[in-house]
Amino acid sequence: MKTNHFFVLICSLYITVAFSQNSLRGTITNQNKVPLDGAHVHVGENTFSTKKEGNYQANKLKAGPTKIFVSYVGYIAIDTTITITGNQVLNFVLKPNTMALHEVLIDQKPNTQNQSVLEQKLKTSTIERFGNESLGDVLKEVAGVSSLKTGSTVVKPIINGLFGSRVPIINNNVRMQDQEWGTEHAPNFDINAAGKITVIKGSSGLQYGGDAIGGLVIIEPMVVRKDTLFGKSIINGASNGRGGSISSSLHRGNVLGWSWNTVGTLKYMGDREAPDYVLSNTGNREANFTGDIRFAKKNYNFSAMYSYYSANIGILAASHSGSITDLYNSINNSQPSVIRDFTYSIGNPKQNVQHHLAKLNYLYHFDETSSIAAQYSFQYNKRLEFDVRRGNLNNIAALDLELSTHNFGVDYKKAWHDWHFKAGANSLYQNNLASAATGVRPLIPNYDRFVFGTYAVASLNYTSDLVLDAGLRYDYSALDASKFYQKSRWIERGYDVLFPEFVVKEVGTQILTKPNFAYHNLSASIGFHKTFAENLEWYFNTSLASRNPNASELFSDGLHHSNGIIELGDLALSKEQSFKISTTLAKQWNAFSIDLNPYINYINNYMFLSPTGVEMTIRGAFPVWEYEQTNARLLGVDVQSLWKISSNWQLKSAFSYINGDDLSNNEPLIDMPPMQFINTIQYSKKEWYELLLELKADVVFTQKSFPDNNFMITILDDANNPSEVLLDISTPPPGYQLLNFYSEMAFNTFHKTKTTVAFSVQNVLNTSYRDYLNRQRFFADEIGRNFQIQIKFNY
């Protein structure tokens, strides 16, 4: 009997020790004893990040051997096992990893203060692959991100079916103001200047604005956390376009004192080619520079940044037709109406764009838990669009816009034991000047815009495995414009009844107007991040966002020359209001991980551009597209997975589907991305000069859900006899499958110099296809096979 009691006592003691509520805490610093904010810590099944002061704490730990993994960008990770015996204190000191400086990852939760959305991240190595392409191209590596294109060189990101003003781009903590209203206005940014890119799907990044109905793209420069000087040069060559680019950068890092970055890029490309013909007048040039400098002390730091972007972009010659008959034939024929021999020359139609961005930022730390930052930025955007015109007018831009933007903001951060709080305010003044020297009525008028916004966001580590966050933002916006309207257009659209107070005077057949609008917007976000056992995480977020009509949606009134269409805005448009629910389940096993992200987005007063007819001008016949408004619902799901088949093989998959419905008219929405499924098989062998082989299969399905906007037109046959025909401007092209190949190897060529050579083939099978989301799909195929070589020197 005593033996049984002794056995029970031993078992009880064992259970008590094994399941007692133990804890582990400590700090994570570098060799200079500087706390590492945002270091990733894995203690057993718990995953979290350190606070600003470098502290971490894990509670409710089982006694016994426990695996600990600590990592931070640019430092050697620590992977160890300790025995938990009670409440313990364990500090870690991380050493810099100079070999990892060029493989920077985006922190999963960077500067947004939002943890209820799984933020998508890109490696620096992935960004470098696209050094000869654009921001819109590299963002397609994220599931749920597609692109709206004008030809092959103008690419705008689409996040969960939304683009343009609904997807702000934040460049080095500055929101880009580069006339993003145009469907053929690509972001004025050099992809080679990006050190980090984060994609946030939805409007949860309230510190940047309350109108990010689609999502946010946050671009950060490379941050070097070590006293070192290094650089890299990347040379790209492409067979399709018979050109390439060169980009060089230098980086000086320091924890305290001076640090800086410089990046310069030159690009020179000729006409692209489809599998069966040359895409005439599709060359482009770029000359870009970005530089920033930072001085840091223990309690404060000061930084300054300047970037210059210059691009000359050819627009497909066949996209500008003559008569209505020519337009009909261009859309219905299988080949473009204009096919010339290959050339590097860029004629009209074309775009010439320059963008300047300057920023000053000052950050002061009151103590280890609180700080305040003040920032001023200035942007100047010069946009010239050239049309095919007669005589000397051919050398004069048909659209000449200058956009100047001043922005000032203040942000305050405070951290308690389990709380993180951030609040701030910003003001913006913007002036748009439309030159009258073009000889054409400006598509976008002169206007002044003023914005004031304030926000507050907070997150609470409610328990060791549950984080709550919420945010609120208010914005006031005022817009004052000056614009001439044709009297016939003003009456035709009913503005004489709706807006008589805007009329200043009549000048012949024109009316001078002074439209002014004011908006008050409230945006909010709330959600949570729950971590379960067995590496299962659940993100849930609901957000409310409001977006005002932009200048294009309100005032467009005429031929958009580089787009080859007549655009008509609507002064009666109301602001959009979005309510989105998004959730993500992220599960990781030893060799397989998967993220499942369903969402639903209700948008009241959704604004969109829709074809309504054809109009004759002295330049010829052009389709007419009008801005309209409806109530919409966007329902979709994004899935991405990674299967590490073996130490050498892995399979990455991404699937995205979205359905957009016009609830007011009970029909599909226009310009919704079709379903897409991408599989990438990758083989790597580090011992063989870091060999990497990759084969990607991209399947884009036919978009079966689209509105019928077709209409009848009158054309002339060869005998000049008129006939009524249907202009099919709605039916999407068939789906397609693309095969892409990528390979690279790395060599130690010189002292402290690493050379990486990459060879890739896009569209391996030279497939002829047309993309539903390319505005030039009516006139030509997409580009064909493209061999590319890239040589990268890290020194």
Side-chain angles (χ1 to χ4, degrees):
M1 191 67 176
K2 290 181 179 181
T3 302
N4 291 339
H5 288 168
F6 179 75
F7 178 75
V8 172
L9 177 61
I10 293 299
C11 290
S12 300
L13 289 173
Y14 174 78
I15 293 173
T16 300
V17 172
F19 294 94
S20 60
Q21 300 301 309
N22 306 296
S23 68
L24 180 67
R25 62 184 177 86
T27 60
I28 299 175
T29 63
N30 63 14
Q31 289 176 305
N32 296 322
K33 299 183 180 179
V34 176
L36 298 180
D37 176 18
H40 293 289
V41 184
H42 301 259
V43 180
E45 297 174 349
N46 299 303
T47 303
F48 43 85
S49 299
T50 57
K51 307 299 188 295
K52 180 179 177 181
E53 58 275 15
N55 293 340
Y56 75 93
Q57 182 165 343
N59 300 316
K60 300 180 181 179
L61 300 178
K62 297 179 181 179
T66 301
K67 186 175 181 179
I68 297 179
F69 181 80
V70 181
S71 64
Y72 193 77
V73 174
Y75 288 82
I76 300 173
I78 294 177
D79 190 354
T80 186
T81 300
I82 69 168
T83 300
I84 300 294
T85 58
N87 297 327
Q88 295 175 248
V89 177
L90 186 59
N91 301 322
F92 293 97
V93 177
L94 299 187
K95 298 179 180 180
N97 182 1
T98 57
M99 294 303 293
L101 288 173
H102 301 282
E103 194 67 16
V104 182
L105 297 180
I106 296 299
D107 290 342
Q108 189 167 322
K109 303 167 184 65
N111 300 319
T112 62
Q113 200 70 25
N114 183 288
Q115 302 192 39
S116 58
V117 176
L118 179 60
E119 299 169 358
Q120 308 296 314
K121 49 194 177 180
L122 294 170
K123 293 181 178 180
T124 300
S125 58
T126 301
I127 298 171
E128 290 174 348
R129 286 193 192 184
F130 292 82
N132 199 42
E133 298 179 66
S134 69
L135 177 65
D137 291 311
V138 70
L139 290 175
K140 289 190 294 184
E141 294 294 295
V142 176
V145 180
S146 48
S147 59
L148 181 70
K149 299 193 294 184
T150 300
S152 57
T153 54
V154 179
V155 185
K156 295 174 71 73
I158 301 177
I159 299 179
N160 290 159
L162 301 171
F163 59 89
S165 300
R166 304 181 185 95
V167 182
I169 295 174
I170 313 302
N171 178 12
N172 203 342
N173 205 42
V174 177
R175 177 167 176 166
M176 297 288 289
Q177 302 286 343
D178 53 358
Q179 296 167 329
E180 73 281 358
W181 48 265
T183 56
E184 87 302 354
H185 297 180
N188 295 169
F189 176 77
D190 175 18
I191 189 63
N192 296 285
K196 308 177 182 180
I197 298 179
T198 302
V199 175
I200 303 175
K201 300 173 183 176
S203 58
S204 58
L206 294 177
Q207 72 185 80
Y208 300 111
D211 57 350
I213 292 177
L216 281 165
V217 177
I218 301 175
I219 306 168
E220 299 175 72
M222 181 172 290
V223 177
V224 185
R225 306 179 189 276
K226 184 179 183 293
D227 182 5
T228 186
L229 173 67
F230 70 97
K232 64 181 176 183
S233 293
I234 302 177
I235 302 172
N236 294 284
S239 65
N240 203 319
R242 307 182 195 180
S245 65
I246 181 170
S247 177
S248 289
S249 62
L250 279 175
H251 310 271
R252 177 71 166 94
N254 228 334
V255 176
L256 299 177
W258 292 99
S259 58
W260 47 264
N261 300 289
T262 61
V263 183
T265 300
L266 294 174
K267 183 183 294 184
Y268 192 93
M269 300 293 295
D271 289 338
R272 275 38 173 219
E273 298 177 57
D276 301 316
Y277 45 78
V278 174
L279 300 170
S280 297
N281 201 52
T282 56
N284 66 304
R285 317 273 190 272
E286 284 186 25
N288 310 316
F289 171 81
T290 300
D292 64 81
I293 189 168
R294 178 177 180 267
F295 179 76
K297 286 292 188 180
K298 183 178 180 181
N299 294 330
Y300 70 90
N301 66 68
F302 171 82
S303 63
M305 172 256 192
Y306 170 75
S307 74
Y308 170 75
Y309 175 90
S310 176
N312 190 19
I313 305 169
I315 304 297
L316 181 72
S319 64
H320 285 224
S321 56
S323 66
I324 293 179
T325 303
D326 292 335
L327 175 64
Y328 174 78
N329 290 333
S330 292
I331 291 178
N332 285 275
N333 290 342
S334 59
Q335 287 191 343
S337 59
V338 178
I339 301 177
R340 309 186 186 109
D341 292 337
F342 172 88
T343 179
Y344 289 100
S345 299
I346 299 177
N348 295 349
K350 65 181 179 182
Q351 300 178 6
N352 188 287
V353 181
Q354 291 185 4
H355 188 81
H356 301 261
L357 187 157
K359 183 195 81 168
L360 298 173
N361 182 283
Y362 178 77
L363 173 65
Y364 180 79
H365 295 278
F366 296 104
D367 52 38
E368 294 182 349
T369 64
S370 60
S371 64
I372 189 168
Q375 178 174 291
Y376 166 77
S377 65
F378 171 73
Q379 297 180 69
Y380 173 77
N381 188 278
K382 176 74 169 179
R383 168 169 284 274
L384 300 173
E385 297 187 2
F386 294 83
D387 196 5
V388 179
R389 306 172 77 180
R390 297 176 181 174
N392 293 331
L393 290 175
N394 201 50
N395 298 320
I396 299 175
L399 183 68
D400 185 341
L401 299 177
E402 297 181 19
L403 185 70
S404 301
T405 306
H406 301 264
N407 197 316
F408 178 76
V410 177
D411 300 284
Y412 173 75
K413 294 173 70 174
K414 175 68 176 178
W416 293 273
H417 181 65
D418 292 317
W419 283 89
H420 281 73
F421 173 78
K422 187 173 185 179
N426 74 285
S427 60
L428 175 146
Y429 171 71
Q430 187 173 79
N431 170 260
N432 185 71
L433 179 62
S435 174
T438 62
V440 179
R441 184 188 300 110
L443 178 69
I444 303 298
N446 296 339
Y447 68 80
D448 292 297
R449 187 165 73 102
F450 173 77
V451 178
F452 173 79
T454 183
Y455 74 94
V457 293
S459 64
L460 168 65
N461 294 327
Y462 188 73
T463 64
S464 61
D465 54 13
L466 178 62
V467 180
L468 310 176
D469 64 53
L472 188 66
R473 183 181 178 97
Y474 165 77
D475 288 285
Y476 168 77
S477 178
L479 181 67
D480 295 304
S482 176
K483 178 175 174 59
F484 279 98
Y485 280 90
Q486 286 286 353
K487 186 185 298 184
S488 57
R489 184 86 77 187
W490 184 262
I491 296 173
E492 170 194 310
R493 302 188 70 80
Y495 294 158
D496 56 330
V497 177
L498 294 173
F499 306 108
E501 70 277 13
F502 291 169
V503 177
V504 176
K505 61 180 180 180
E506 295 187 13
V507 183
T509 61
Q510 298 188 83
I511 297 176
L512 175 62
T513 65
K514 299 280 188 179
N516 59 85
F517 300 93
Y519 305 94
H520 299 268
N521 296 333
L522 196 65
S523 307
S525 174
I526 188 170
F528 64 82
H529 172 205
K530 172 70 174 176
T531 302
F532 299 93
E534 304 300 330
N535 294 320
L536 175 63
E537 296 180 89
W538 180 22
Y539 300 81
F540 182 85
N541 178 267
T542 60
S543 59
L544 173 70
S546 300
R547 186 183 73 89
N548 305 324
N550 61 38
S552 175
E553 293 160 336
L554 289 171
F555 303 121
S556 289
D557 180 30
L559 181 60
H560 195 170
H561 300 273
S562 68
N563 215 15
I565 64 174
I566 293 172
E567 293 183 10
L568 298 178
D570 189 346
L571 293 177
L573 292 175
S574 302
K575 64 183 179 184
E576 287 181 345
Q577 292 184 303
S578 161
F579 177 72
K580 183 175 183 179
I581 300 175
S582 175
T583 187
T584 300
L585 286 175
K587 171 65 175 174
Q588 183 170 349
W589 291 269
N590 289 333
F592 185 78
S593 62
I594 186 170
D595 299 336
L596 177 66
N597 172 217
Y599 58 89
I600 186 168
N601 195 353
Y602 288 95
I603 306 177
N604 291 329
N605 301 319
Y606 174 76
M607 288 173 268
F608 62 99
L609 197 57
S610 178
T612 58
V614 174
E615 187 172 306
M616 282 296 301
T617 73
I618 59 173
R619 271 278 297 105
F622 294 94
V624 178
W625 292 65
E626 298 188 36
Y627 283 101
E628 301 179 11
Q629 205 158 36
T630 189
N631 292 329
R633 181 191 62 209
L634 281 69
L635 176 69
V637 62
D638 301 327
V639 183
Q640 53 188 16
S641 65
L642 175 63
W643 178 21
K644 296 181 180 179
I645 304 171
S646 68
S647 59
N648 302 115
W649 291 91
Q650 68 176 24
L651 174 67
K652 295 186 291 185
S653 299
F655 172 82
S656 59
Y657 168 79
I658 184 171
N659 177 261
D661 287 320
D662 180 340
L663 300 179
S664 301
N665 300 305
N666 194 29
E667 65 179 9
L669 289 175
I670 194 172
D671 290 336
M672 287 292 107
M675 185 166 61
Q676 187 174 21
F677 188 36
I678 303 173
N679 285 292
T680 305
I681 185 74
Q682 188 179 92
Y683 175 82
S684 61
K685 188 76 170 179
K686 191 174 182 65
E687 297 80 5
W688 295 353
Y689 298 101
E690 300 183 31
L691 173 68
L692 176 67
L693 302 174
E694 184 178 284
L695 194 63
K696 177 190 291 186
D698 189 352
V699 180
V700 178
F701 294 81
T702 304
Q703 177 58 276
K704 297 292 184 65
S705 182
F706 61 94
D708 184 358
N709 293 317
N710 297 336
F711 46 84
M712 302 298 294
I713 58 172
T714 301
I715 64 171
L716 301 176
D717 60 20
D718 293 337
N720 287 329
N721 297 315
S723 61
E724 292 286 320
V725 295
L726 181 71
L727 185 66
D728 188 354
I729 206 167
S730 303
T731 305
Y736 55 89
Q737 301 83 41
L738 297 178
L739 201 62
N740 301 310
F741 171 77
Y742 178 85
S743 63
E744 70 174 32
M745 298 181 76
F747 307 91
N748 294 318
T749 49
F750 307 104
H751 179 61
K752 293 185 178 180
T753 300
K754 182 179 179 180
T755 302
T756 302
V757 179
F759 173 74
S760 62
V761 186
Q762 296 175 328
N763 193 358
V764 173
L765 302 179
N766 207 26
T767 302
S768 296
Y769 69 101
R770 300 196 178 192
D771 189 338
Y772 175 58
L773 295 175
N774 190 335
R775 286 301 174 89
Q776 292 180 356
R777 67 179 171 86
F778 303 111
F779 310 106
D781 290 341
E782 300 289 328
I783 68 171
R785 185 185 294 117
N786 185 20
F787 296 97
Q788 293 192 105
I789 187 167
Q790 182 182 85
I791 303 175
K792 178 175 62 178
F793 302 98
N794 289 330
Y795 42 83

